[in-house]
Amino acid sequence: MNTKITELLGIKYPIIQGGMAWVAESTLAAAVSNAGGLGLIAGGSAPIDYLRDQIRNAKSLTDKPFGVNIMLMSPNAEDLAQLVIDEKVPVVTTGAGNPGKFMEGWKNAGVKVIPVIPSVALAKRMERAGADAVVAEGTESGGHIGENTTMCLVPQVVDALEIPVIAAGGIADGRGIAASFMLGAEGVQVGTRFLASTECKIHETYKQLVIDAKDTDNVVTGRTTGHPCRNVRTKFSKKLAQDEFKGNITPDEFEKITLGSLRKAVQDGNLEEGSFLCGLIAGMVNEIKPCKDIIEEMFAQAEKLLGR
Ligand code: TUI
């Protein structure tokens, strides 16, 4: 399945793995890249030495292209922006902010830049700044989200830009890929489906929550802080969202409660204090499989639906 994205990135299938903070490490990234997609290591707010090790480990696990996701709200974003240049990482995706100030350095170093954007306005700005493609991410996605949906955002971004658009948010099977292509996307970004992959190193409790989740088992926290975040519904996430809604906690208290909560979910499977970030499509994710099987099955279904 050749598209502008497979050509741009030199990959077999037009699929990139979501840059999930704390989740997307070198083993998962290499598995996705080895299966013909583009694996990503998430910078999150991890220390630079750890990320350098992760990048080098991915290089030892795959000879295929892989990328790094830079979460722009991280205090380490500037150092990581330089690290990807020093380590000659071929692709960068960015999230949770505007990467404009790093663009020139990356472009000069030959790094392909794919910002994740939640709106047409930001997409246009990214194209003007020299982005190679954008990920148009709908509010169905896990983690930090915008307001617009994949169905509405993707075609509007496609119409507004010349560069290729990758659809994200709510895609976990071949129907999601086929639908994205119908909306004009040239590729897809998939996060939640890879949480339930054999190679994903998250705590078993996290994987089981994703597998068990029904369509409605989802909660958005952080609406009062301006940084809404989509999670699996647990007692913790439900109470947090309710307390926010009722005005029972201040944004400062919210920050204190959620500090370190991603790590507590991913590493400890801590149901009392962990934030299990996850997209709305989790209800359709019911089985743990190797990344290769996930990707091949998704594209076999998509190709059939698209009549290719
Ligand atoms: O970034 C993501 N998803 C994430 S980041 C993350 S870690 C985190 N945890 C708590 C609070 C915040 C982050 C977990 N999940 N997706 C891409 C994404 N980017 N979604 C929304 C945006 C975005 C928002 C505003 C991109 C640009 C933007 O620009 C505002 C501006 O500066 O103009």
Side-chain angles (χ1 to χ4, degrees):
M1 193 176 272
N2 291 332
T3 71
K4 287 179 186 161
I5 291 299
T6 56
E7 270 170 42
L8 175 71
L9 303 176
I11 55 179
K12 184 174 175 192
Y13 296 110
I15 180 167
I16 71 175
Q17 167 226 317
M20 300 167 281
W22 284 97
V23 172
E25 47 63 69
S26 52
T27 309
L28 179 62
V32 171
S33 289
N34 282 332
L38 186 85
L40 288 181
I41 294 167
S45 48
I48 291 300
D49 287 346
Y50 167 82
L51 292 168
R52 188 182 298 104
D53 287 349
Q54 287 293 310
I55 292 169
R56 292 185 179 173
N57 198 39
K59 286 178 186 164
S60 76
L61 296 172
T62 184
D63 55 7
K64 301 275 194 314
F66 67 89
V68 166
N69 174 268
I70 302 185
M71 208 275 277
L72 294 163
M73 280 167 57
S74 161
N76 282 343
E78 190 117 20
D79 291 343
L80 184 51
Q82 185 57 44
L83 180 67
V84 297
I85 294 174
D86 296 344
E87 289 293 321
K88 299 188 171 38
V89 174
V91 186
V92 162
T93 70
T94 63
N98 182 346
K101 67 174 177 177
F102 302 123
M103 282 301 227
E104 199 185 338
W106 288 332
K107 297 311 298 173
N108 289 341
V111 179
K112 306 245 165 52
V113 185
I114 310 183
V116 180
I117 49 87
S119 69
V120 171
L122 203 58
K124 282 183 172 171
R125 247 197 281 164
M126 293 300 98
E127 181 173 67
R128 279 199 300 273
D132 295 279
V134 294
V135 175
E137 191 180 87
T139 194
E140 295 92 326
S141 303
H144 181 46
I145 46 170
E147 293 292 343
N148 213 335
T149 63
T150 306
M151 182 81 119
C152 297
L153 180 65
V154 172
Q156 294 185 71
V157 174
V158 168
D159 285 349
L161 303 191
E162 299 287 328
I163 56 174
V165 176
I166 297 168
I171 303 164
D173 70 2
R175 291 172 296 183
I177 296 175
S180 300
F181 284 5
M182 289 292 121
L183 297 175
E186 302 268 347
V188 292
Q189 177 186 277
V190 168
T192 298
R193 183 64 192 91
F194 290 122
L195 288 173
S197 68
T198 316
E199 296 90 344
C200 183
K201 287 188 167 177
I202 57 175
H203 196 279
E204 282 310 310
T205 300
Y206 198 158
K207 282 193 191 180
Q208 203 55 47
L209 278 173
V210 175
I211 299 285
D212 292 345
K214 298 190 301 299
D215 55 343
T216 50
D217 291 331
N218 209 275
V219 167
V220 175
T221 56
R223 291 227 185 260
T224 56
T225 66
H227 304 300
C229 233
R230 190 178 293 289
N231 309 253
V232 185
R233 188 157 65 146
T234 59
K235 269 191 199 153
F236 174 74
S237 61
K238 198 174 155 192
K239 181 167 186 316
L240 198 52
Q242 278 172 349
D243 284 346
E244 278 188 87
F245 184 67
K246 290 180 191 154
N248 288 351
I249 51 171
T250 64
D252 275 356
E253 283 166 337
F254 179 91
E255 293 300 335
K256 238 179 249 167
I257 293 167
T258 54
L259 188 71
S261 65
L262 297 189
R263 190 200 63 72
K264 286 175 188 167
V266 171
Q267 293 188 343
D268 307 339
N270 183 338
L271 288 165
E272 276 69 47
E273 296 176 339
S275 294
F276 296 83
L277 304 189
C278 174
L280 265 175
I281 201 69
M284 212 173 70
V285 175
N286 300 318
E287 211 184 336
I288 296 171
K289 287 182 188 174
C291 292
K292 187 170 188 299
D293 293 2
I294 292 173
I295 292 174
E296 286 177 359
E297 284 170 22
M298 285 178 78
F299 278 94
Q301 189 186 19
E303 280 173 11
K304 210 166 151 193
L305 290 168
L306 293 165
R308 292 192 184 180

